[in-house]
Amino acid sequence: MNYAYARVSCKDQKLERQLIAFNDCNIAFTRIFCDKKTGENFERQNYKKLIKKLRYGDLLVIKSIDRLGRNYDCIIREWRRITKEIGADIYVIDMPLLDTRCHEKNLIGKFISDIVLQLLSFVAENERINIRTRQAEGIKAAKIRGVKFGRPITACPVNFREIAEKYRTRQIKLAEALALSQMKISSFYRYFNAFISCNK
């Protein structure tokens, strides 16, 4: 059986490029499994289904090694699990050297494949670390410039004390208090609790 696995990290990212690559590699797939989840670990619903399907002699195709995962140790372990424990083959479209079908009886080929795998896995994890570092540096620089992160805080209406007092004394219900203050329930209660604290 021939299987393919595609993955993107976020729900708003597209799988299209990977699916086109599968179509262009001239392999008839029994099924293509897809996940829209981070590659930090292998807790992915469709990946787990794929692993349960894989049998000795099957072929798993991925577009690039970082689609399998981005954690160096996890990628190495998973590669060995698939190729050694299950006995299935793996073909990485973007790196033809990572094609275990070609190295079945070729010791040098297997050796080269293992070295390339370890190198690419290291690069994939290192890039993930670098991305996080750059993001952290960017956020720090933005905060220094005064950029605010997160949702903007809802301004407290001028007549909030009057509304809060009526709500506290049960002259009006919550729905009416929200309508009068034009606030969402979370914002209303944040200010209401502050109002109560100040008036104890």
Side-chain angles (χ1 to χ4, degrees):
M1 300 286 189
N2 299 327
Y3 299 101
Y5 178 71
R7 181 186 66 78
V8 289
S9 299
C10 308
K11 289 183 178 180
D12 59 349
Q13 291 179 321
K14 306 295 182 187
L15 293 159
E16 187 177 4
R17 285 191 306 114
Q18 295 173 68
L19 299 178
I20 289 171
F22 297 150
N23 185 64
D24 291 346
C25 69
N26 296 317
I27 295 173
F29 292 107
T30 306
R31 185 172 172 185
I32 296 174
F33 291 84
C34 303
D35 277 312
K36 291 194 173 187
K37 198 164 185 183
T38 177
E40 291 183 4
N41 57 54
F42 291 93
E43 294 302 310
R44 303 173 226 139
Q45 183 179 2
N46 287 319
Y47 183 79
K48 287 180 176 180
K49 290 179 182 178
L50 164 66
I51 292 300
K52 286 181 180 179
K53 287 274 187 185
L54 274 179
R55 298 290 182 268
Y56 181 88
D58 287 347
L59 173 65
L60 170 60
V61 178
I62 53 177
K63 187 178 186 300
S64 58
I65 195 64
D66 64 344
R67 296 307 87 199
L68 194 61
R70 290 191 175 180
N71 179 292
Y72 174 78
D73 292 327
C74 287
I75 292 173
I76 299 297
R77 280 199 304 270
E78 203 64 14
W79 184 279
R80 287 179 180 152
R81 175 188 177 188
I82 293 167
T83 60
K84 303 291 191 295
E85 294 175 22
I86 297 174
D89 283 307
I90 300 179
Y91 168 45
V92 182
I93 295 171
D94 287 353
M95 183 56 62
L97 277 173
L98 294 178
D99 184 352
T100 60
R101 297 171 301 174
C102 303
H103 310 315
E104 188 178 353
K105 296 179 181 177
N106 183 341
L107 190 58
I108 294 175
K110 282 183 178 178
F111 177 68
I112 292 171
S113 184
D114 284 347
I115 290 174
V116 172
L117 169 65
Q118 295 202 34
L119 176 62
L120 290 178
S121 300
F122 170 77
V123 169
E125 180 173 11
N126 197 52
E127 178 59 18
R128 180 173 61 86
I129 292 168
N130 287 339
I131 288 170
R132 284 185 170 178
T133 302
R134 289 194 295 268
Q135 285 174 338
E137 289 170 349
I139 290 168
K140 184 177 179 181
K143 284 182 177 178
I144 290 170
R145 293 195 310 270
V147 176
K148 302 290 184 185
F149 291 90
R151 292 181 180 178
I153 296 174
T154 304
C156 184
V158 178
N159 61 340
F160 185 79
R161 289 180 64 86
E162 179 187 337
I163 297 168
E165 180 60 26
K166 285 183 178 180
Y167 177 67
R168 185 185 70 81
T169 56
R170 298 182 182 178
Q171 295 175 52
I172 58 173
K173 294 185 177 180
L174 178 60
E176 190 177 351
L178 295 177
L180 289 169
S181 62
Q182 295 184 334
M183 297 172 110
K184 291 185 177 179
I185 190 167
S186 56
S187 299
F188 177 83
Y189 272 119
R190 181 169 63 250
Y191 284 113
F192 180 74
N193 290 334
F195 169 77
I196 295 298
S197 297
C198 292
N199 289 277
K200 279 184 176 179

